[in-house]
Amino acid sequence: MGWPLPLLLAARYLKSSRRDAYVSLLSGLAGGGIALGVAALILVLSGLSGLQHFLRQDVLARTPHMEVELPVGADAEAALEAVSSVPGVEAVRPLIHGRGWLLIGGSAVDMRMVGFEGALPAFFGADRDREKTPQVDPAPSAGGVYIGELFATRWGLQAGDRIDLASARPTLTPFGQQPRVMTLRVSGTFVDGQLESGQRMAIPLAAARRLFGAGAARLDVRAGDPNRALAVAPTVLEAVRATAGEGAVVRTWRELNRGLFFALDLEKRLMFVSVFLIVPVASLALVTALALLISSKRAEVGMLGAMGATSRDISTAFLTLGAALAVGGLAVGGGLGVGLALLLDHFGLVAPPGDVYYIDHVPFRLLGRDLLAVVGATLVFTLACTIYGARRAAALRPIEALRGT
């Protein structure tokens, strides 16, 4: 046939004879274990990637690209002009953040309030596609507020209703210090974020100044897309500190959600390690199969050595055999995992309980770096175990093997 001796030996040992059927069965089980581990790992990583992508998109839709926190007493108008002149910045608007209470139904509901000017900020979900048109007051007033849809439904609020807002900032009255209270009209609603902690609402900037003062002034900076925001953030920081002082702070969307993104990344890493344990176990089974094969072919290996086959030829033969089983298991498992991930995602076959989760099916997202990590880690473990078995075969001395010792 003209094949090299190691390749001929590997092809011969791959064939099952009646006497070596148990060795072939164990080899098949080792390759099947590797395939099962690879397929399970691809499915888990693609499912986590799909869920994390969905969560990240939901979070980024409700997070400013950049948020500039100005020090007390800083000139907000000068800082706004300085940031607007930075290349890459598309829009800048002043904001005021504060915490207060919504007085409704005889209760005081804790709310996170954001004072805005102009159109409703994009991070309140106003620019997202959805099936239901947002509820808007047909004649919105300049002092209108926007609240979450779920909150409005829970309390029976509609566009045009009047609500009372209170701030912890006191007002001096003949009866002593009293919280500041304002009555405003509901101008519309926005889509609540799936991961929002607590309730929030958008109120006009003038009302926010009266409730919280100018000490909580911030700037909402948009840079086209989140990745561009990361690139221009250092320039924005230099520009704002040149006008507002060293106390100014610039936080990008990544820093505003650092805790959540860290938790998602840690979850994926831990799941990778947990599911990947299947592959080392299957690799150890591969070592066992090679050891049994070496034991059953001991006399044959000794005869080959006596006929002139070198230790390198014997080692290469068993290394080729183990690599064929490992690569075959990897190929079958990879194809099975990718195929199942595409099938499950296309038809939405994995549906979580609707009363627990807010998605109708689990999205599967295949990423190139995940596939490379699976292939690389699997090859490292399986080939390392194969090399160990091949060295054991090469260590046999022809005379001792022929004697059966």
Side-chain angles (χ1 to χ4, degrees), residues 98-103 110-111 113 165-172 177-182 208 210-213:
R99 205 165 195 99
W101 297 276
L102 171 61
L103 308 179
D110 182 40
M111 302 287 290
M113 304 180 187
L165 304 179
S167 168
R169 188 185 184 199
T171 298
L172 186 60
Q177 293 184 345
Q178 299 291 333
R180 297 194 176 189
V181 179
M182 294 185 63
R210 292 179 56 186
L211 289 172
F212 309 111

Side-chain angles (χ1 to χ4, degrees), residues 40-370:
L41 196 55
I42 291 176
L43 282 177
V44 169
L45 291 182
S46 60
L48 283 176
S49 298
L51 287 173
Q52 291 180 2
H53 178 73
F54 177 83
L55 296 177
R56 287 175 185 268
Q57 292 299 109
D58 185 79
V59 169
L60 291 178
R62 290 170 171 80
T63 303
H65 290 173
M66 283 180 284
E67 187 177 82
V68 179
E69 184 176 348
L70 302 176
V72 178
D75 188 349
E77 292 296 331
L80 189 148
E81 293 180 2
V83 174
S84 300
S85 62
V86 174
V89 173
E90 293 188 356
V92 186
R93 68 163 68 189
L95 299 176
I96 292 181
H97 287 247
R99 205 165 195 99
W101 297 276
L102 171 61
L103 308 179
I104 183 173
S107 303
V109 182
D110 182 40
M111 302 287 290
R112 293 183 295 116
M113 304 180 187
V114 179
F116 71 98
E117 191 174 50
L120 186 66
F123 58 83
F124 274 93
D127 60 348
R128 300 191 65 190
D129 294 334
R130 53 181 180 172
E131 297 179 358
K132 184 173 63 174
T133 304
Q135 182 188 45
V136 179
D137 184 1
S141 62
V145 304
Y146 290 83
I147 56 179
E149 286 184 344
L150 296 179
F151 183 85
T153 302
R154 185 182 308 124
W155 291 95
L157 295 175
Q158 298 179 357
D161 292 349
R162 294 188 175 274
I163 56 176
D164 295 326
L165 304 179
S167 168
R169 188 185 184 199
T171 298
L172 186 60
T173 68
F175 302 100
Q177 293 184 345
Q178 299 291 333
R180 297 194 176 189
V181 179
M182 294 185 63
T183 300
L184 300 174
R185 173 184 291 181
V186 177
S187 289
T189 60
F190 58 87
V191 181
D192 300 88
Q194 305 290 355
L195 300 178
E196 289 185 22
S197 57
Q199 300 293 337
R200 64 172 181 165
M201 64 188 309
I203 65 177
L205 188 65
R209 287 197 179 101
R210 292 179 56 186
L211 289 172
F212 309 111
R218 303 184 187 184
L219 298 179
D220 172 25
V221 183
R222 299 192 65 81
D225 62 79
N227 292 328
R228 185 183 299 178
L230 297 177
V232 302
T235 308
V236 171
L237 179 61
E238 294 179 1
V240 73
R241 284 186 173 178
T243 56
E246 294 297 324
V249 178
V250 176
R251 297 185 181 89
T252 63
W253 56 268
R254 180 179 294 174
E255 294 166 338
L256 293 171
N257 300 283
R258 185 184 300 274
L260 174 62
F261 290 162
F262 173 78
L264 293 177
D265 184 64
L266 180 62
E267 177 190 27
K268 191 172 183 179
R269 293 175 184 270
L270 291 178
M271 288 299 297
F272 179 90
V273 174
S274 300
V275 180
F276 184 73
L277 292 177
I278 301 176
V279 174
V281 172
S283 300
L284 294 177
L286 181 61
V287 173
T288 304
L290 290 177
L292 288 176
L293 183 61
I294 293 170
S295 178
S296 65
K297 302 294 184 181
R298 186 180 181 89
E300 183 175 334
V301 171
M303 182 65 70
L304 289 172
M307 294 175 62
T310 64
S311 298
R312 183 174 182 179
D313 292 334
I314 303 299
S315 175
T316 303
F318 282 93
L319 181 61
T320 304
L321 175 61
L325 292 174
V327 174
L330 177 60
V332 172
L336 182 63
V338 171
L340 284 177
L342 294 175
L343 182 67
L344 294 175
D345 181 68
H346 181 73
F347 293 100
L349 299 179
V350 180
D355 56 345
V356 177
Y357 300 95
Y358 49 84
I359 55 176
D360 55 355
H361 72 278
V362 176
F364 289 83
R365 189 166 184 256
L366 293 169
L367 299 178
R369 60 176 181 270
D370 291 341

